Amino acid sequence: EDKVVQSPLSLVVHEGDTVTLNCSYEVTNFRSLLWYKQEKKAPTFLFMLTSSGIEKKSGRLSSILDKKELFSILNITATQTGDSAVYLCDVPYMEYGNKLVFGAGTILRVKS
Amino acid sequence: SQTIHQWPATLVQPVGSPLSLECTVEGTSNPNLYWYRQAAGRGLQLLFYSVGIGQISSEVPQNLSASRPQDRQFILSSKKLLLSDSGFYLCAWRIDSTNSPLHFGNGTRLTVT
């Protein structure tokens, strides 16, 4: 059965800490892996990864994909309270990549 | 620019009543459309997706249904709501491409009483 697993399920850190979120997958016809951040309502897109070993970076956030070991990590350095959110991992797959499956998400809380 | 509209934002319905949630996309043609349900701030459960008018794929057997009467309109319906239908419903679209991100509406908070 195709699946996407995120870990940890929740995390509490202090401002300034560095966090690493993990997304592992087992899907048919892997196409890409996407990360989203959800603060209150609509998730917003962070990164899309298609190739192994190529880091995507945006400010304090970065992400990388390992297609051999079938996982991706999302790193956040020097965390701020504004980083508190649910972080979602999404893997489009199947023949045309139209079926999208999300992991359960990681709830991150950054304490000041 | 593309925009997605989803309504209503909140809804309280009694058990056994019908449901209709609507989602429309502007600024793009032939989008892939999706309905997700989210429980308690957790992951998104894919309910339905559509790659074209009248083409609906159902992922979870339940008393919900979806329809796509127009290219940029996606409707989630139920004839009789159950308590277990309560949750946060999100509509999303993406361009018809293998690798493209989802764009979400602001969601509907449904409470079935």
Side-chain angles (χ1 to χ4, degrees):
Chain A
E1 180 182 330
D2 298 310
K3 61 182 181 181
V4 177
V5 179
Q6 290 186 248
S7 63
L9 292 182
S10 64
L11 192 57
V12 180
V13 300
H14 289 92
E15 274 191 314
D17 288 349
T18 293
V19 299
T20 298
L21 311 182
N22 188 288
C23 176
S24 63
Y25 61 92
E26 294 180 31
V27 299
T28 306
N29 295 328
F30 174 84
R31 303 285 179 168
S32 59
L33 185 148
L34 298 94
W35 286 97
Y36 296 83
K37 176 183 180 182
Q38 184 180 26
E39 294 183 74
K40 290 185 179 179
K41 293 185 177 180
T44 54
F45 170 70
L46 292 175
F47 299 111
M48 180 172 66
L49 305 158
T50 56
S51 302
S52 279
I54 300 176
E55 184 183 56
K56 293 288 184 78
K57 194 171 175 66
S58 177
R60 296 175 294 103
L61 277 66
S62 64
S63 184
I64 198 162
L65 175 69
D66 186 326
K67 292 172 73 174
K68 181 180 178 182
E69 300 298 329
L70 307 182
F71 75 93
S72 172
I73 58 172
L74 174 67
N75 277 321
I76 308 175
T77 60
T79 53
Q80 303 171 357
T81 55
D83 295 325
S84 297
V86 178
Y87 289 85
L88 299 162
C89 171
D90 160 36
V91 181
Y93 67 109
M94 298 302 285
E95 183 178 356
Y96 298 107
N98 292 319
K99 185 169 180 177
L100 310 179
V101 176
F102 280 85
T106 294
I107 301 174
L108 174 64
R109 180 182 166 207
V110 181
K111 298 170 68 174
S112 58
Chain B
S1 63
Q2 302 92 353
T3 56
I4 178 170
H5 303 280
Q6 184 181 345
W7 68 92
T10 59
L11 191 60
V12 179
Q13 293 283 100
V15 168
S17 63
L19 173 74
S20 181
L21 303 181
E22 190 162 343
C23 173
T24 59
V25 180
E26 297 178 355
T28 187
S29 297
N30 195 34
N32 288 353
L33 296 171
Y34 302 82
W35 278 111
Y36 288 91
R37 178 167 60 199
Q38 186 176 37
R42 300 306 317 193
L44 305 181
Q45 178 189 32
L46 178 62
L47 301 176
F48 302 94
Y49 69 95
S50 171
V51 300
I53 295 175
Q55 301 178 58
I56 308 295
S57 296
S58 174
E59 293 302 308
V60 183
Q62 57 204 333
N63 68 323
L64 297 172
S65 62
S67 61
R68 184 171 178 173
Q70 300 180 49
D71 180 45
R72 291 169 289 177
Q73 184 185 28
F74 206 24
I75 298 171
L76 182 69
S77 304
S78 174
K79 292 182 179 179
K80 289 186 177 182
L81 283 168
L82 305 173
L83 285 174
S84 58
D85 291 323
S86 294
F88 189 53
Y89 290 81
L90 283 160
C91 179
W93 74 272
R94 66 178 193 139
I95 61 173
D96 186 18
S97 171
T98 300
N99 295 321
S100 58
L102 284 168
H103 305 277
F104 289 86
N106 282 327
T108 295
R109 176 75 57 191
L110 172 66
T111 303
V112 182
T113 60

